[in-house]
Amino acid sequence: MSPSSRPAHCCSGGSGSDTAGCGPAPKTEVSQADLYGSYSGPHGARLELTAVGGTSVTFSVKNWPKEEGPGILTEKVATFDGAGAWKLLNAPGEDGEVGLVFDGLDTGARGATVTELRVGEEDGRTVLFARLGDPDVCRVLTLS
């Protein structure tokens, strides 16, 4: 998939904590096979979801933000390259959600990073996204 020309976030304010309309439309009934491929996001962030056989699924990232807050949408933040295993976190019929488990990541010394992504759809294409920061303000990291 190629980098998107759309903004990496939406900036509409919200009243209350209803975030149902924040970000891409959620996608349900997602299988691992639906998600294999390359995704790109802001500031050169790249995510590759792969299968290595059987039930083993891996990922690699390049220029992945070392932070998880909304600043990663607008600022150039420190990044890293890494790899690990991923899995679907949702139960059947629920909105798709992917969990990333990084190999050898010392989150205590380095701080948090984005490790959970929702599965959505934009313009008929599958995208991965994370809502960042205050739930009353719609800020979304989108990987397409």
Side-chain angles (χ1 to χ4, degrees), residues 32-102:
Q32 288 178 333
D34 296 331
L35 302 176
Y36 299 138
S38 297
Y39 300 85
S40 60
H43 308 296
R46 304 237 351 122
L47 170 66
E48 177 84 24
L49 299 178
T50 56
V52 292
T55 59
S56 183
V57 287
T58 61
F59 73 90
S60 62
V61 294
K62 298 235 183 265
N63 298 318
W64 199 250
K66 287 186 177 181
E67 301 175 17
E68 65 178 339
I72 66 175
L73 299 174
T74 57
E75 305 165 8
K76 183 67 175 162
V77 297
T79 63
F80 68 99
D81 297 344
W86 66 277
K87 66 180 178 178
L88 287 172
L89 301 175
N90 56 289
E94 292 180 353
D95 292 351
E97 190 169 3
V98 173
L100 305 175
V101 179
F102 287 88

Side-chain angles (χ1 to χ4, degrees), residues 28 30 55 129 133 139:
T28 58
V30 176
T55 59
F129 69 101
R139 292 189 204 102

